[in-house]
Amino acid sequence: MKFEWLVALRYLRSPNRPAVLRLVTLLAVIGVAAGVTTLVVALSMNTGFRQAIRDRLLTVTAHVNLKPIGPQGIRDYRSLMARLSDTPGVRSIEPAIYDTVLLSAGGRARGLVLKGVDPELERRASEALRHMVSGSGDFAADVDGIPALLVGRILAEDLKVSAGDYVTLTSPQGNLTPFGMLPRSRRFHVAGIFDSGFYDYDANWGFVTLGSAQGLAGIGDVASLLEIRVRNLDEARAIADQLLRRAGNGFTTSTWMDENRALFRALSLEKLVTAVFIGLITFVAGLNILVVLTMTVTDRARDIAVLVAMGARRHQIRKIFILQGLAVSIAGTAAGLVLGYASAWIADKWRLIPLNPEVYAIPYVPFRANAFDAIWIAAAALAISIAATILPARSAACILPVEIFRFE
């Protein structure tokens, strides 16, 4: 072991140190550990929220939407789909129709976002219809030819409907009669109940076939938009630009990032603010290290004078106290990382913090810790601690042996 490390560790482990100095050293280690633990848990929670919300959003929403600029819809959507299907990076393309309707069942009524889909394409592309809690997702009409409707689990619970029940959907896009515009209504049977895991969709969305949605809206063979799913989410913007060039004039595109820009920007800002404010805990722990070293310099002034008189260089004296502060920081950082990652893993595995899904869209707080966070958290903690050692180390290096021995 090098001379500097040997002296630094002996100072830390010495049983002859004053009790108050041992206590302050312990508090410095605990302070660094607390700061690192809190920062790991907070960043894991933020990352978990971001990933959980993104994953749940993308189970029922497209990565890229191709929409007509006007309200007329896409009439030649089949040929357009064939033209765009070989675009590099595109995984699937599905036509869709969106409408807001009124669902009535058993004397209860509820607004509903109705999505008309091609059943085969939607099942392959979207994960929402793969998680059926009741009934089936095959969109088959009943024996009387009444079309099928799939609704979310929360909506079914609120309206007390189950698979096999019959409901009425009323569209505001009605028929013009001598008595004015009358809403268009149609009867559906609930073929299945899905559970996407995302509150908004399970409480407010329903699926029918593309033909049923076109009939309820009173339009012809038209799609409102094309939904495209890509292989690499990070390339969604570039692929959207390619699709727009191939589609030609009269179209516009939006990506999943565009549709949820405000949400993910808020999560990013929250992560930054959390890191800054919780980082202040580590800064306070760095001040504790400064106090520890200052007290050590005062307590060990005679030892320092002896070392200098025996030939120790001033840079070696300075290094002794820097290494002493570094040892305290390493111990606290290591303990904080272990405790922080263990806490995050346990809280995520056992779902220890429940949430109201009506407010947060997910039923519990997810934690996702990653190695990159550990690297920069450890680097920041060590940098703060080393900065706190500079002043006491310089003070120790400036001790003059003659001034110390004068009164011996």
Side-chain angles (χ1 to χ4, degrees), residues 381-398:
L382 293 176
I384 292 173
S385 302
I386 291 174
T389 65
I390 294 176
L391 186 60
R394 292 180 62 182
S395 175
C398 292

Side-chain angles (χ1 to χ4, degrees), residues 352-373:
L352 298 181
I353 307 177
L355 295 175
N356 183 354
E358 297 184 22
V359 178
Y360 297 98
I362 49 180
Y364 67 97
V365 175
F367 292 84
R368 297 289 185 277
N370 58 67
F372 177 76
D373 285 344

Side-chain angles (χ1 to χ4, degrees), residues 91-260:
R91 179 162 57 89
S92 64
I93 304 178
E94 308 88 41
I97 292 178
Y98 286 91
D99 196 7
T100 302
V101 300
L102 181 69
L103 186 150
S104 305
R108 302 179 182 86
R110 177 82 173 272
L112 179 72
V113 177
L114 188 67
K115 182 180 180 181
V117 299
D118 182 309
E120 187 62 30
L121 295 177
E122 187 70 16
R123 271 195 297 269
R124 288 205 303 261
S126 173
E127 295 184 12
L129 302 185
R130 301 176 191 172
H131 302 283
M132 306 299 297
V133 297
S134 179
S136 64
D138 57 7
F139 289 90
D142 69 357
V143 293
D144 297 320
I146 297 176
L149 167 69
L150 273 61
V151 297
R153 174 184 58 82
I154 298 175
L155 178 65
E157 292 174 355
D158 290 345
L159 295 180
K160 294 181 171 52
V161 298
S162 56
D165 291 348
Y166 291 85
V167 300
T168 301
L169 298 183
T170 304
S171 173
Q173 303 179 25
N175 298 314
L176 184 61
T177 69
F179 303 99
M181 185 68 72
L182 294 180
R184 184 182 291 106
S185 297
R186 192 168 182 182
R187 199 174 183 213
F188 288 80
H189 81 279
V190 180
I193 298 173
F194 64 86
D195 184 2
S196 69
F198 200 75
Y199 178 85
D200 183 57
Y201 295 98
D202 293 339
N204 301 300
W205 280 51
F207 292 84
V208 296
T209 63
L210 198 64
S212 298
Q214 291 167 343
L216 185 62
I219 59 178
D221 190 15
V222 176
S224 299
L225 73 164
L226 295 183
E227 296 186 338
I228 297 97
R229 287 172 170 81
V230 300
R231 293 186 176 87
N232 188 342
L233 292 176
D234 296 331
E235 297 177 356
R237 182 70 265 170
I239 295 174
D241 293 338
Q242 295 183 45
L243 292 169
L244 193 59
R245 288 194 295 269
R246 290 194 174 200
N249 297 328
F251 292 94
T252 183
T253 59
S254 63
T255 66
W256 66 275
M257 293 174 283
D258 298 329
E259 298 287 344
N260 303 281

Side-chain angles (χ1 to χ4, degrees), residues 34-47 49 266-282 367 373 376-377:
V36 171
T37 299
T38 308
L39 197 52
V40 167
V41 172
L43 294 181
S44 299
M45 182 173 65
N46 183 279
T47 303
F49 259 114
L267 289 174
S268 298
L269 180 61
E270 180 187 5
K271 183 174 184 177
L272 175 62
V273 173
T274 299
V276 170
F277 279 93
I278 296 181
L280 293 176
I281 299 176
T282 307
F367 292 84
D373 285 344
W376 79 259
I377 289 172

